[in-house]
């Protein structure tokens, strides 16, 4: 059963690729509020945490603004959340970037650097494949290519992994845990398949 789109809070932590994500969401009919106000996050029908920048800086900026605590509250309340790229990484307990980073602790595990011997950052298109737990939101992406730009990733066996891809090693390209969804790729840069994903999220 789908719900009406309502308002999407697009979290502004000072380092996100906000304009292109905002434009993509508006293109699929979303009512978007770009905000760093914790109360706006709490009031929203859905929340999108975009990703560009470093995991340590993004996580700390969200803590300073109070958005981190508001996000934790909305997750517990059942509000649909979508993290994009760094917005996926900060959901984890910790990461290796910049000598070590503390995430929000919503997902157990560590974000690790992609293996040596591969061109980093990994920038470009990679194919997506499903895990056994792939939910309907991500199922249409199986076999499609999505656009990535990153040097760090979540492990392929993380609880909730829904889509995998490979750059030197297999890693988590998308995850789903109840109302919490996240992708390592950039749907706003992934053309039709990315817009279709955002359209589905707006109705989830």
């Amino acid at each position: 059963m789908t719900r009406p789109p309502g308002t999407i809070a697009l979290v502004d932590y000072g380092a996100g690729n906000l304009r292109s994500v905002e434009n993509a969401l508006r293109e699929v009919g979303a009512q978007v509020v770009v905000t760093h106000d914790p109360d706006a996050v709490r009031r929203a029908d859905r929340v999108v945490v975009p990703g560009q920048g470093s995991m340590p800086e993004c996580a700390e900026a969200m803590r300073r603004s109070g958005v981190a605590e508001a996000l934790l509250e909305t997750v517990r309340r059942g509000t649909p959340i979508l993290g994009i790229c760094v917005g996926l990484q900060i959901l984890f307990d910790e990461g290796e970037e910049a000598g070590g980073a503390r995430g929000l602790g919503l997902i157990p595990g560590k974000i690790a650097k992609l293996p040596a011997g591969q061109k980093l950052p990994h920038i470009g298109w990679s194919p997506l494949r499903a895990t056994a737990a792939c939910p309907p939101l991500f199922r249409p992406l199986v076999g499609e290519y999505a656009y990535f730009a990153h040097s760090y990733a979540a492990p392929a066996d993380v609880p909730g992994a829904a889509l995998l891809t490979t750059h030197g090693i297999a890693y988590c390209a998308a995850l789903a845990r109840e109302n919490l969804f996240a992708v390592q790729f950039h749907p706003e840069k992934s053309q039709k398949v990315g817009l279709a994903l955002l359209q589905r999220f707006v109705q989830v």
Side-chain angles (χ1 to χ4, degrees):
M1 181 176 179
T2 61
R3 297 190 293 176
T7 300
I8 291 183
L10 179 60
V11 176
D12 179 4
Y13 49 75
N17 185 25
L18 289 175
R19 183 58 61 86
S20 60
V21 178
E22 179 186 5
N23 289 343
L25 286 167
R26 292 191 188 282
E27 187 170 337
V28 299
Q31 301 175 50
V32 184
V33 176
V34 180
T35 185
H36 54 77
D37 178 358
D39 288 334
V41 171
R42 292 184 179 98
R43 289 193 301 267
D45 298 289
R46 292 167 185 78
V47 180
V48 174
V49 184
Q52 203 164 5
S54 74
M55 177 182 171
E57 291 177 356
C58 295
E60 287 309 311
M62 288 179 66
R63 288 190 182 95
R64 286 194 304 270
S65 69
V67 166
E69 181 57 36
L71 187 66
L72 296 176
E73 292 175 22
T74 59
V75 170
R76 289 192 291 264
R77 196 165 58 241
T79 301
I81 310 291
L82 176 65
I84 297 173
C85 195
V86 176
L88 174 149
Q89 297 176 10
I90 62 174
L91 301 176
F92 281 72
D93 289 329
E94 58 182 326
E96 294 181 348
E97 190 170 1
R102 181 168 63 96
L104 301 183
L106 286 165
I107 306 290
K110 178 187 284 189
I111 300 295
K113 192 168 187 177
L114 292 170
Q118 304 297 315
K119 185 177 180 181
L120 297 178
H122 166 43
I123 298 177
W125 298 81
S126 291
L128 304 169
R129 60 186 186 276
T131 68
C134 187
L137 179 69
F138 294 132
R139 181 64 59 177
L141 288 162
V142 176
E144 300 285 359
Y145 281 72
Y147 184 85
F148 292 79
H150 64 117
S151 297
Y152 297 83
D157 61 354
V158 65
L163 295 171
L164 305 179
T165 193
T166 302
H167 189 71
I169 59 169
Y171 63 88
C172 176
L175 62 84
R177 290 167 61 96
E178 298 179 352
N179 56 305
L180 183 60
F181 306 97
V183 294
Q184 182 58 63
F185 56 88
H186 288 271
E188 77 280 7
K189 297 181 180 179
S190 296
Q191 299 178 0
K192 290 182 179 179
V193 296
L195 286 177
L197 170 63
L198 294 177
Q199 175 71 72
R200 290 192 298 277
F201 176 72
V202 165
Q203 298 291 340
V204 74

